[in-house]
Amino acid sequence: MAEIKLNWPVLLRHDTAANWAAKNPVLREGEVGIETDTRYLKIGDGSTVWNSLKYLAMAYANVTGTPTLAKVATSGSYNDLTNKPTSIANANVAAKLAAAKSVQTNLASTEAASFDGSANITPGVTGTLPVGNGGTGQTSLDKVTVGVAKSVPWEGVTGKPAIPTKTSDLQNDSGYSYLIKNVVDLTDTTKYADDTYWPCVVGIPYTGDRRMMLSVQLNSGSKPSWSTHGAGFTCVLDVVARAGGWGTTDAGSTILNHMYSWANVDPCSYVQFTKSSNACFYLRGGGKYFIYTDFSASWHVITTETNLLGSSTYTDMVAPTKTLPAISINRATIMCNVDGLASKATADASGNNIASTYATKAYVAQAIKEALAAATITYDGKVTYKG
């Protein structure tokens, strides 16, 4: 083929990067397009628009100016470059690097840590920072290490937990025996009249014996009209109870303590509703009461007659009352050991009429003696024995 000599320069199609992107033309197959301000090249295929064409891959050493990450990525991968750029202009990476620098500035320690690109620090490990927004094969920058503090002051920590300052603020959890404090405030006498006993109920868990201790001491925050001390009143009603549930368990309960002072009336009583397995403290209006339980309890004050079973067929009715109900429980069976033999003893409210399976003769004789000492026996209308 004869050599062709041209007397004019050969010009390739060219424009600024912005104009190429705006016009977005289709280059003919083999046609070269140059960005005059960036020096990047693209070669057309006759069908693909400019913005979808890849830049011509080349050795980084031959490129004038440092390419941005976006330009490098469209050529295929970071690994296509002969020499990796020393700096990459990418907003996402820059933000993560800035965050890493901030962590390093604010935390004082010599311990090494890894930064995973999402503001998470793992102490004691050196890791990598992902680049993000890269092309195929693009993996990570060089390793970034930051210092992490051995201890960090609470100031500046977002979402810091509230640390309880006293045991009563703690919540119960399985395996712990401390009691949870519940407050029942009946001091508003416009709502809770101080001549009325208001039922306060909660469901008893079906998990064996559960502790419920009502305890009010002087200076506890209330001085109702019926208290006789300048600092209020005192009452304790300590109960260990089991759920009933229509006989699914025996509902056996024990009163550990029941007393009151500095009040002209007994301010409290306890009743267990065995069908619905609800514990009920009757509390006199005007006072503030504290009930400590070994389970998470949500106490409800009943202000109108209520069926605790919520049924039209079966009822466990409870309502406020002007008269304090007597304590009502199914008495728990107490097992004891007499002379090394397991025994079962029961007694009435006065402690008399004691029956024992394996009680000793002396124990039975003493029980009879005590019973006779309080007895009056008559025959034909005449007193024949008086203890």
Side-chain angles (χ1 to χ4, degrees):
M1 178 181 291
E3 181 180 358
I4 299 175
K5 295 183 179 180
L6 300 178
N7 294 322
W8 59 88
V10 177
L11 298 178
L12 299 180
R13 193 169 176 179
H14 58 277
D15 208 334
T16 64
N19 287 340
W20 277 115
K23 296 175 183 178
N24 198 24
V26 175
L27 297 183
R28 292 170 295 179
E29 185 174 4
E31 184 179 8
V32 177
I34 302 175
E35 292 180 353
T36 56
D37 50 348
T38 65
R39 303 286 183 171
Y40 297 133
L41 307 178
K42 289 187 179 182
I43 300 177
D45 59 8
S47 60
T48 304
V49 295
W50 173 269
N51 291 337
S52 298
L53 289 174
K54 294 182 180 181
Y55 285 91
L56 182 63
M58 64 187 69
Y60 181 75
N62 298 326
V63 178
T64 302
T66 303
T68 64
L69 180 59
K71 306 300 184 182
V72 175
T74 54
S75 69
S77 75
Y78 197 5
N79 298 325
D80 288 342
L81 298 177
T82 303
N83 298 304
K84 296 182 181 180
T86 56
S87 63
I88 298 177
N90 180 278
N92 190 32
V93 175
K96 293 180 179 180
L97 289 173
K101 183 177 180 181
S102 176
V103 171
Q104 188 176 27
T105 301
N106 295 328
L107 302 180
S109 175
T110 58
E111 291 187 31
S114 67
F115 184 79
D116 68 2
S118 58
N120 296 319
I121 300 299
T122 305
V125 179
T126 299
T128 60
L129 174 64
V131 172
N133 296 335
T136 304
Q138 189 172 338
T139 56
S140 64
L141 294 174
D142 291 337
K143 291 181 179 179
V144 177
T145 60
V146 296
V148 62
K150 296 180 181 178
S151 61
V152 181
W154 281 120
E155 290 74 13
V157 177
T158 302
K160 61 184 179 183
I163 300 177
T165 57
K166 51 187 178 181
T167 304
S168 58
D169 289 337
L170 298 174
Q171 293 298 308
N172 194 22
D173 198 358
S174 59
Y176 292 86
S177 61
Y178 55 76
L179 301 180
I180 302 173
K181 180 181 180 180
N182 306 269
V183 180
V184 180
D185 192 343
L186 304 181
T187 55
D188 184 358
T189 54
T190 61
K191 185 176 181 180
Y192 306 107
D194 58 6
D195 64 347
T196 303
Y197 293 93
W198 300 91
C200 185
V201 301
V202 73
I204 305 173
Y206 287 84
T207 50
D209 292 350
R210 306 315 300 254
R211 180 85 174 276
M212 296 172 287
M213 181 177 68
L214 172 71
S215 179
V216 181
Q217 303 299 321
L218 295 178
N219 296 301
S220 61
S222 67
K223 187 183 182 306
S225 61
W226 39 264
S227 63
T228 60
H229 193 285
F233 67 102
T234 297
C235 70
V236 175
L237 183 46
D238 198 351
V239 182
V240 176
R242 287 193 293 272
W246 296 90
T248 56
T249 53
D250 64 4
S253 302
T254 304
I255 304 297
L256 301 178
N257 190 12
H258 177 213
M259 61 80 62
Y260 73 96
S261 61
W262 308 112
N264 55 29
V265 292
D266 189 345
C268 60
S269 182
Y270 175 82
V271 172
Q272 181 177 337
F273 292 90
T274 57
K275 296 176 184 177
S276 59
S277 293
N278 272 274
C280 176
F281 283 100
Y282 283 91
L283 306 176
R284 194 172 182 92
K288 180 183 288 187
Y289 300 87
F290 307 93
I291 306 176
Y292 299 85
T293 59
D294 62 2
F295 59 95
S296 182
S298 180
W299 295 88
H300 300 282
V301 179
I302 304 297
T303 56
T304 58
E305 186 176 35
T306 302
N307 181 6
L308 297 177
L309 289 172
S311 169
S312 59
T313 304
Y314 304 103
T315 60
D316 252 350
M317 303 302 298
V318 62
T321 176
K322 300 287 186 181
T323 303
L324 179 65
I327 291 178
S328 176
I329 61 172
N330 289 338
R331 297 187 182 277
T333 298
I334 302 175
M335 304 299 294
C336 60
N337 192 20
V338 179
D339 291 344
L341 298 175
S343 301
K344 179 172 70 174
T346 60
D348 61 18
S350 301
N352 300 315
N353 191 27
I354 298 175
S356 176
T357 305
Y358 296 107
T360 62
K361 292 181 179 180
Y363 187 88
V364 174
Q366 180 64 24
I368 295 174
K369 181 178 179 181
E370 292 177 359
L372 290 175
T376 299
I377 301 175
T378 61
Y379 180 73
D380 289 339
K382 297 180 181 180
V383 176
T384 58
Y385 178 87
K386 185 174 183 180

mmCIF file of all heavy atoms in Angstrom, residues 184-194 220-224 233 284-289:
data_model
loop_
_atom_site.group_PDB
_atom_site.id
_atom_site.type_symbol
_atom_site.label_atom_id
_atom_site.label_comp_id
_atom_site.label_asym_id
_atom_site.label_seq_id
_atom_site.Cartn_x
_atom_site.Cartn_y
_atom_site.Cartn_z
ATOM 1 N N VAL A 184 -48.422 1.777 96.199
ATOM 2 C CA VAL A 184 -49.861 1.957 96.010
ATOM 3 C C VAL A 184 -50.241 3.226 96.768
ATOM 4 O O VAL A 184 -50.252 3.242 98.004
ATOM 5 C CB VAL A 184 -50.659 0.747 96.526
ATOM 6 C CG1 VAL A 184 -52.150 0.972 96.316
ATOM 7 C CG2 VAL A 184 -50.206 -0.529 95.827
ATOM 8 N N ASP A 185 -50.535 4.289 96.045
ATOM 9 C CA ASP A 185 -50.787 5.593 96.654
ATOM 10 C C ASP A 185 -52.287 5.862 96.714
ATOM 11 O O ASP A 185 -52.944 6.063 95.693
ATOM 12 C CB ASP A 185 -50.092 6.674 95.823
ATOM 13 C CG ASP A 185 -50.049 8.017 96.541
ATOM 14 O OD1 ASP A 185 -50.819 8.196 97.506
ATOM 15 O OD2 ASP A 185 -49.252 8.882 96.134
ATOM 16 N N LEU A 186 -52.827 5.861 97.945
ATOM 17 C CA LEU A 186 -54.258 6.123 98.156
ATOM 18 C C LEU A 186 -54.448 7.420 98.933
ATOM 19 O O LEU A 186 -55.448 7.588 99.635
ATOM 20 C CB LEU A 186 -54.902 4.957 98.915
ATOM 21 C CG LEU A 186 -54.754 3.558 98.296
ATOM 22 C CD1 LEU A 186 -55.472 2.519 99.153
ATOM 23 C CD2 LEU A 186 -55.286 3.524 96.874
ATOM 24 N N THR A 187 -53.494 8.344 98.831
ATOM 25 C CA THR A 187 -53.544 9.578 99.629
ATOM 26 C C THR A 187 -54.568 10.578 99.100
ATOM 27 O O THR A 187 -54.943 11.505 99.820
ATOM 28 C CB THR A 187 -52.160 10.242 99.672
ATOM 29 O OG1 THR A 187 -51.691 10.455 98.328
ATOM 30 C CG2 THR A 187 -51.162 9.356 100.403
ATOM 31 N N ASP A 188 -55.011 10.429 97.852
ATOM 32 C CA ASP A 188 -56.022 11.337 97.304
ATOM 33 C C ASP A 188 -57.396 10.902 97.808
ATOM 34 O O ASP A 188 -58.055 10.036 97.229
ATOM 35 C CB ASP A 188 -55.972 11.306 95.780
ATOM 36 C CG ASP A 188 -56.938 12.298 95.144
ATOM 37 O OD1 ASP A 188 -57.672 12.980 95.893
ATOM 38 O OD2 ASP A 188 -56.965 12.394 93.903
ATOM 39 N N THR A 189 -57.855 11.541 98.908
ATOM 40 C CA THR A 189 -59.110 11.109 99.540
ATOM 41 C C THR A 189 -60.338 11.535 98.735
ATOM 42 O O THR A 189 -61.445 11.069 99.025
ATOM 43 C CB THR A 189 -59.199 11.655 100.966
ATOM 44 O OG1 THR A 189 -59.015 13.073 100.944
ATOM 45 C CG2 THR A 189 -58.132 11.015 101.848
ATOM 46 N N THR A 190 -60.163 12.413 97.743
ATOM 47 C CA THR A 190 -61.301 12.717 96.875
ATOM 48 C C THR A 190 -61.594 11.537 95.954
ATOM 49 O O THR A 190 -62.703 11.394 95.439
ATOM 50 C CB THR A 190 -61.014 13.967 96.018
ATOM 51 O OG1 THR A 190 -59.874 13.717 95.180
ATOM 52 C CG2 THR A 190 -60.720 15.162 96.910
ATOM 53 N N LYS A 191 -60.597 10.688 95.778
ATOM 54 C CA LYS A 191 -60.760 9.504 94.940
ATOM 55 C C LYS A 191 -60.834 8.234 95.780
ATOM 56 O O LYS A 191 -61.592 7.308 95.447
ATOM 57 C CB LYS A 191 -59.587 9.408 93.961
ATOM 58 C CG LYS A 191 -59.697 8.279 92.962
ATOM 59 C CD LYS A 191 -58.537 8.320 91.974
ATOM 60 C CE LYS A 191 -58.635 7.216 90.945
ATOM 61 N NZ LYS A 191 -57.498 7.248 89.976
ATOM 62 N N TYR A 192 -60.043 8.199 96.876
ATOM 63 C CA TYR A 192 -60.018 7.032 97.756
ATOM 64 C C TYR A 192 -60.395 7.486 99.162
ATOM 65 O O TYR A 192 -59.535 7.921 99.945
ATOM 66 C CB TYR A 192 -58.625 6.391 97.761
ATOM 67 C CG TYR A 192 -58.102 6.033 96.389
ATOM 68 C CD1 TYR A 192 -57.082 6.771 95.797
ATOM 69 C CD2 TYR A 192 -58.643 4.965 95.682
ATOM 70 C CE1 TYR A 192 -56.605 6.449 94.535
ATOM 71 C CE2 TYR A 192 -58.179 4.635 94.417
ATOM 72 C CZ TYR A 192 -57.162 5.385 93.845
ATOM 73 O OH TYR A 192 -56.697 5.073 92.596
ATOM 74 N N ALA A 193 -61.677 7.406 99.480
ATOM 75 C CA ALA A 193 -62.173 7.878 100.780
ATOM 76 C C ALA A 193 -61.439 7.185 101.918
ATOM 77 O O ALA A 193 -61.156 5.980 101.861
ATOM 78 C CB ALA A 193 -63.669 7.631 100.872
ATOM 79 N N ASP A 194 -61.120 7.963 102.985
ATOM 80 C CA ASP A 194 -60.326 7.387 104.073
ATOM 81 C C ASP A 194 -61.151 6.578 105.064
ATOM 82 O O ASP A 194 -60.624 6.113 106.076
ATOM 83 C CB ASP A 194 -59.543 8.492 104.793
ATOM 84 C CG ASP A 194 -60.449 9.585 105.349
ATOM 85 O OD1 ASP A 194 -61.682 9.428 105.275
ATOM 86 O OD2 ASP A 194 -59.909 10.588 105.839
ATOM 87 N N SER A 220 -43.125 7.613 105.927
ATOM 88 C CA SER A 220 -43.134 6.978 104.604
ATOM 89 C C SER A 220 -43.906 7.789 103.574
ATOM 90 O O SER A 220 -44.123 7.304 102.460
ATOM 91 C CB SER A 220 -43.724 5.569 104.702
ATOM 92 O OG SER A 220 -45.060 5.622 105.173
ATOM 93 N N GLY A 221 -44.335 8.994 103.926
ATOM 94 C CA GLY A 221 -44.940 9.858 102.921
ATOM 95 C C GLY A 221 -46.426 10.076 103.026
ATOM 96 O O GLY A 221 -47.010 10.706 102.146
ATOM 97 N N SER A 222 -47.074 9.580 104.076
ATOM 98 C CA SER A 222 -48.506 9.834 104.219
ATOM 99 C C SER A 222 -48.885 9.903 105.695
ATOM 100 O O SER A 222 -48.293 9.220 106.537
ATOM 101 C CB SER A 222 -49.330 8.747 103.519
ATOM 102 O OG SER A 222 -49.171 7.495 104.168
ATOM 103 N N LYS A 223 -49.860 10.728 106.008
ATOM 104 C CA LYS A 223 -50.411 10.829 107.367
ATOM 105 C C LYS A 223 -51.926 10.952 107.252
ATOM 106 O O LYS A 223 -52.479 12.053 107.242
ATOM 107 C CB LYS A 223 -49.838 12.026 108.121
ATOM 108 C CG LYS A 223 -50.267 12.052 109.592
ATOM 109 C CD LYS A 223 -49.755 13.281 110.293
ATOM 110 C CE LYS A 223 -50.154 13.242 111.769
ATOM 111 N NZ LYS A 223 -51.622 13.061 111.959
ATOM 112 N N PRO A 224 -52.601 9.810 107.092
ATOM 113 C CA PRO A 224 -54.056 9.836 106.934
ATOM 114 C C PRO A 224 -54.757 10.289 108.220
ATOM 115 O O PRO A 224 -54.148 10.350 109.292
ATOM 116 C CB PRO A 224 -54.389 8.385 106.587
ATOM 117 C CG PRO A 224 -53.248 7.585 107.110
ATOM 118 C CD PRO A 224 -52.038 8.446 107.016
ATOM 119 N N PHE A 233 -48.070 6.282 110.122
ATOM 120 C CA PHE A 233 -48.504 5.042 110.753
ATOM 121 C C PHE A 233 -47.554 3.916 110.344
ATOM 122 O O PHE A 233 -46.689 4.080 109.489
ATOM 123 C CB PHE A 233 -49.938 4.694 110.350
ATOM 124 C CG PHE A 233 -50.092 4.342 108.893
ATOM 125 C CD1 PHE A 233 -50.202 3.028 108.476
ATOM 126 C CD2 PHE A 233 -50.127 5.341 107.921
ATOM 127 C CE1 PHE A 233 -50.330 2.711 107.129
ATOM 128 C CE2 PHE A 233 -50.265 5.034 106.572
ATOM 129 C CZ PHE A 233 -50.367 3.722 106.170
ATOM 130 N N ARG A 284 -56.774 0.756 103.535
ATOM 131 C CA ARG A 284 -57.621 1.879 103.907
ATOM 132 C C ARG A 284 -57.190 3.148 103.170
ATOM 133 O O ARG A 284 -55.999 3.446 103.035
ATOM 134 C CB ARG A 284 -57.577 2.116 105.416
ATOM 135 C CG ARG A 284 -58.685 3.047 105.916
ATOM 136 C CD ARG A 284 -58.704 3.092 107.432
ATOM 137 N NE ARG A 284 -59.785 3.928 107.929
ATOM 138 C CZ ARG A 284 -61.012 3.517 108.241
ATOM 139 N NH1 ARG A 284 -61.297 2.228 108.084
ATOM 140 N NH2 ARG A 284 -61.927 4.356 108.700
ATOM 141 N N GLY A 285 -58.178 3.889 102.663
ATOM 142 C CA GLY A 285 -57.895 5.105 101.930
ATOM 143 C C GLY A 285 -57.175 6.140 102.776
ATOM 144 O O GLY A 285 -57.313 6.179 104.002
ATOM 145 N N GLY A 286 -56.381 6.997 102.113
ATOM 146 C CA GLY A 286 -55.644 8.053 102.793
ATOM 147 C C GLY A 286 -54.183 7.752 103.005
ATOM 148 O O GLY A 286 -53.396 8.656 103.283
ATOM 149 N N GLY A 287 -53.786 6.484 102.864
ATOM 150 C CA GLY A 287 -52.398 6.103 103.125
ATOM 151 C C GLY A 287 -51.632 5.791 101.855
ATOM 152 O O GLY A 287 -52.210 5.566 100.789
ATOM 153 N N LYS A 288 -50.326 5.805 101.983
ATOM 154 C CA LYS A 288 -49.443 5.352 100.913
ATOM 155 C C LYS A 288 -48.819 4.039 101.366
ATOM 156 O O LYS A 288 -48.253 3.963 102.459
ATOM 157 C CB LYS A 288 -48.359 6.380 100.610
ATOM 158 C CG LYS A 288 -47.406 5.945 99.503
ATOM 159 C CD LYS A 288 -46.293 6.957 99.269
ATOM 160 C CE LYS A 288 -46.812 8.206 98.598
ATOM 161 N NZ LYS A 288 -45.699 9.125 98.229
ATOM 162 N N TYR A 289 -48.922 3.018 100.524
ATOM 163 C CA TYR A 289 -48.508 1.672 100.908
ATOM 164 C C TYR A 289 -47.394 1.173 99.981
ATOM 165 O O TYR A 289 -47.321 1.547 98.814
ATOM 166 C CB TYR A 289 -49.702 0.710 100.845
ATOM 167 C CG TYR A 289 -50.834 1.115 101.761
ATOM 168 C CD1 TYR A 289 -51.819 2.006 101.318
ATOM 169 C CD2 TYR A 289 -50.925 0.632 103.053
ATOM 170 C CE1 TYR A 289 -52.859 2.391 102.151
ATOM 171 C CE2 TYR A 289 -51.969 1.010 103.901
ATOM 172 C CZ TYR A 289 -52.933 1.900 103.439
ATOM 173 O OH TYR A 289 -53.954 2.282 104.270
#
